[in-house]
Amino acid sequence: MSRKNIVLIGFMGTGKTAVGRRLAQRLKREFVDTDQEIERITGKTVAQIFARDGEVRFRSEEALLTKKLAAREGLVISTGGGLVLNPENVKLLGENGVFIHLKASPEVIYQRLKNKKNRPLLLKGDKRERIKSLLAEREEVYSRLAGCTVDTGEVSVDEAVERIVSYLKEMGINE
Ligand code: S3P
């Protein structure tokens, strides 16, 4: 039986936390959301870490947590949207993990995040434009890493989970 970690990657607002939690229930695996885990460990919200300590500090918390998670197995891990931009994080998670990419169009992401105050990277400037430009920078990285991409603007959380489960079966993961 393969106990590779299942690692959900993708932009903010693509449903990584919602889909990850449901996928973990479906597969009877432990679920870890990296943002929530960082908040638990530090006792601060992601927004507070960005505001008080800066993004560099947040990225180092993320890298530290990634090391710990990559040493474990059998997890479903939902990652913060910037985590896989660090090649060291990708290398560590990839050694015993499979990447699944969740995507959505800029407009769908905007609609999901427009009233949210907890995404520090989207607080400056016009939110729609910020989403478009960050997504354009990052999309290639997300798609390149993952063998499976699900568009959550087009399917429900349950359908997204079923597509991921089929992919894992095809790959002989979680049998
Ligand atoms: C970030 C995404 C956020 C969070 C932080 C930075 C990013 O997580 O880690 O605000 O760089 O894309 P979600 O993708 O869960 O929103």
Side-chain angles (χ1 to χ4, degrees), residues 44-63:
K44 296 182 216 173
T45 66
V46 170
Q48 284 168 342
I49 302 173
F50 267 76
R52 295 178 191 172
D53 312 313
E55 181 173 353
V56 172
R57 176 60 187 276
F58 176 75
R59 296 303 174 196
S60 77
E61 292 291 348
E62 217 170 34

Side-chain angles (χ1 to χ4, degrees), residues 109-124:
I109 292 171
Y110 174 74
Q111 292 302 331
R112 288 177 182 164
L113 299 183
K114 65 180 176 195
N115 298 318
K116 296 255 178 352
K117 300 271 177 281
N118 59 350
R119 298 301 198 295
L121 289 181
L122 301 180
L123 292 180
K124 272 182 246 149

